[in-house]
Amino acid sequence: MSLTRRDFARQSALTGAGVALAGSAGALASAPNALAATDTDHTAAAGHPGDASHTPAAAGHQGVGYGPLLPDPHGLLALPAGFKYRVITYSGRTRLESGEITPSNHDGTAAFCGPRGSTLLVNNHELKGPRSDWQHPVPLTEGLVYDPAASGGCTVVEVRPGGHVAEWVGIAGTSINCAGGTTPWGTWLTGEETEDQAGQNGMTKDHGYVFEVDPADRRANRAPKPVKAFGRYAHEAVVIDPRRGHAYLTEDASGPNGLLFRWTPPAGFRHGRGRLRTLADDAGVLQAFKCFDSKGKFVDDLSRATKTGTVYGVDWVDVPDHDARTVPVRKQFTAGQVTRARKLEGMWWADGGTYIVSSYARDESPVQHDGAVWFYYPERRTLTLKVLLGVNPAPSADGAFDGPDNITVSPYGGLVIAEDGEGVQHLFGATDSGRTYPIARNELNIGTEDEPEYSEFTGVTFSPDGHTLYANIQTPGIMLAITGPWKRHKR
């Protein structure tokens, strides 16, 4: 049923200020049901390579978060006092079970419970174009290849209780595997952030699809089959509504800006392991979002919202050609038909809905910003602005955050964000009331001394037991496990 502008305007008038969830401009206001927390009190000293730590010293920290980030003498990861990291995989250094080098360009990641107390992680590798362009593409493991010309894919990493790490290919021959997302039945959905068709950029098959990877069953990943029902476009993240069965998907594109999609399964379809493979290519209904404000006015672009707490009503518009045979999906709509946003990136399902990231907006958008996080609540079909980061005037200076990308909800309250901005790159958190704090800083300079450059963070996710925060440095491709005195945070 369509939520009309009149219905939303009437609902807004009846509920009044209660529609807008409180937030702090330029800061995160996180999950409404996040755990309350206490502040921490820690200090630090240095550690050693591969298992670097910042251990307690004399001084203490009072306030939100975990205190200042302490420089890493090994030049990799700055952390607060009491925290330590371990390198899990490192492209060019670590190897797969097959003996081949760990692929590069780590991106979206999720953690699952593995056998005998282990943790299984599925790790996207955002590699574009032909294999000859990359020193360490995803190996073409027999039976797991979609397009032998493509360089991307996923690896599965097993971290055992004793510390042993094993890694193998989950899928190969895909392209630009970016954010992705988990399913309620324990698998990983990896999307291709491309619109290349067979014959373009050296590809032998059409790309721009979502694929399912099962971390626990290697046999289930054989003969990869795209979930064409989800559409062909520049995929970023995907989440599944565990109650209704809808899939929500983001598109990272410009010219024009990308879209948020909803896929509704066909009548009688039941999700589960291996079920997506059984779908017909045109199964279900793929739709793009269309927003309007409390006065019933159509919203052409999400960047129009300039205050946290802004709430839009959402309607859904059918996609004419979800496989984009001749016209890209986002170009199949004329002005006034759908709402757009620049750099729609990470998503995470929690609190009965999905958090959605827009990394930034520039000249292509009505209003510029350096990051936004929205929350879509399906039951009411409302989209609420939870984050709005103003344009960072000095990205090379440590302090301000910009360019949110991958996102997760913390078991200790609030959100944890991977930064993909300009200049300095962080992992940072935020409390329910909107106070932000640093968790880590990338200190691996891949530029020069005169012109330093730091790669983005990706793949932020907690272990199933909540004790370890996993995250990646995308270039060259490093997976890190961060542990320490995690604490719940005050509001």
Side-chain angles (χ1 to χ4, degrees):
M1 181 180 68
S2 171
L3 177 66
T4 66
R5 281 177 249 187
R6 182 178 299 173
D7 292 337
F8 182 67
R10 180 166 59 248
Q11 175 182 318
S12 299
L14 289 172
T15 55
V19 173
L21 303 180
S24 173
L28 287 162
S30 65
N33 297 325
L35 302 173
T38 57
D39 292 339
T40 59
D41 183 2
H42 300 286
T43 56
H48 56 83
D51 189 11
S53 63
H54 300 304
T55 53
H61 165 68
Q62 300 284 333
V64 68
Y66 301 101
L69 302 180
L70 304 176
D72 180 2
H74 309 292
L76 185 57
L77 195 69
L79 291 169
F83 283 79
K84 63 181 180 180
Y85 69 85
R86 179 189 176 199
V87 173
I88 302 299
T89 67
Y90 197 130
S91 183
R93 299 185 184 182
T94 56
R95 294 183 179 271
L96 310 184
E97 286 183 339
S98 62
E100 295 159 298
I101 294 290
T102 294
S104 63
N105 291 59
H106 296 23
D107 210 289
T109 305
F112 305 85
C113 290
R116 298 176 294 279
S118 67
T119 296
L120 295 174
L121 299 113
V122 186
N123 186 200
N124 280 352
H125 296 276
E126 191 183 25
L127 297 162
K128 178 181 180 179
R131 302 180 62 79
S132 58
D133 289 350
W134 300 96
Q135 184 177 4
H136 302 303
V138 177
L140 297 177
T141 302
E142 183 180 359
L144 301 177
V145 180
Y146 170 65
D147 180 353
S151 53
C154 301
T155 53
V156 180
V157 179
E158 182 181 35
V159 182
R160 298 171 188 168
H164 177 78
V165 174
E167 184 179 17
W168 59 89
V169 172
I171 188 174
T174 53
S175 183
I176 319 182
N177 299 73
C178 209
T182 62
T183 68
W185 52 93
T187 62
W188 173 250
L189 297 176
T190 180
E192 299 180 298
E193 189 191 339
T194 181
E195 296 170 335
D196 285 347
Q197 293 177 293
Q200 295 178 321
N201 292 322
M203 300 296 100
T204 65
K205 290 186 177 181
D206 292 344
H207 291 267
Y209 294 116
V210 171
F211 296 80
E212 185 172 24
V213 177
D214 192 328
D217 185 356
R218 303 193 195 195
R219 294 171 299 178
N221 300 324
R222 298 187 68 82
K225 180 183 177 183
V227 186
K228 292 189 176 182
F230 286 177
R232 196 182 69 81
Y233 45 88
H235 285 276
E236 267 289 342
V238 54
V239 298
I240 303 292
D241 181 338
R243 177 182 169 190
R244 301 165 185 84
H246 293 133
Y248 294 93
L249 309 103
T250 49
E251 178 187 33
D252 180 4
S254 60
N257 283 348
L259 306 173
L260 173 68
F261 296 96
R262 181 184 73 177
W263 177 79
T264 302
F269 178 77
R270 298 184 67 179
H271 281 295
R273 268 188 158 85
R275 295 291 298 158
L276 292 176
R277 280 177 171 261
T278 69
L279 288 169
D281 292 349
D282 60 352
V285 179
L286 184 68
Q287 299 170 304
F289 77 148
K290 181 178 183 179
C291 298
F292 42 91
D293 64 20
S294 59
K295 296 181 181 179
K297 183 180 178 181
F298 167 69
V299 179
D300 62 337
D301 194 283
L302 289 186
S303 67
R304 296 284 185 189
T306 58
K307 294 181 179 179
T308 54
T310 297
V311 180
Y312 291 145
V314 178
D315 207 351
W316 296 96
V317 182
D318 289 358
V319 172
D321 175 17
H322 75 278
D323 205 43
R325 300 320 306 163
T326 57
V327 179
V329 170
R330 69 185 183 283
K331 295 183 179 180
Q332 295 173 22
F333 298 97
T334 58
Q337 287 187 296
V338 293
T339 299
R340 301 183 183 277
R342 183 68 199 278
K343 292 291 289 181
L344 287 172
E345 299 265 2
M347 290 196 290
W348 195 270
W349 184 272
D351 308 304
T354 182
Y355 292 88
I356 305 163
V357 172
S358 171
S359 289
Y360 62 77
R362 293 291 183 263
D363 292 341
E364 78 291 324
S365 304
V367 181
Q368 295 189 27
H369 62 71
D370 253 348
V373 177
W374 294 81
F375 181 76
Y376 178 66
Y377 189 40
E379 187 170 330
R380 295 184 181 178
R381 278 179 289 170
T382 54
L383 189 67
T384 303
L385 182 60
K386 307 290 287 185
V387 177
L388 186 59
L389 303 177
V391 175
N392 186 355
S396 61
D398 195 14
F401 305 128
D402 60 78
D405 195 324
N406 288 178
I407 185 172
T408 191
V409 172
S410 170
Y412 304 97
L415 303 174
V416 177
I417 308 290
E419 192 175 20
D420 178 17
E422 301 290 335
V424 182
Q425 306 292 332
H426 300 90
L427 297 174
F428 66 97
T431 68
D432 288 356
S433 61
R435 293 180 293 176
T436 60
Y437 56 92
I439 296 174
R441 181 178 64 244
N442 179 8
E443 296 198 326
L444 181 62
N445 180 9
I446 57 174
T448 66
E449 185 176 350
D450 293 335
E451 296 183 3
E453 181 182 352
Y454 301 93
S455 175
E456 66 180 279
F457 279 106
T458 64
V460 58
T461 187
F462 276 92
S463 60
D465 63 11
H467 294 162
T468 303
L469 177 65
Y470 292 96
N472 308 313
I473 295 174
Q474 186 174 75
T475 304
I478 306 171
M479 179 184 287
L480 301 160
I482 302 170
T483 54
W486 302 110
K487 299 291 183 180
R488 298 175 182 177
H489 288 87
K490 292 180 180 179
R491 295 183 62 84

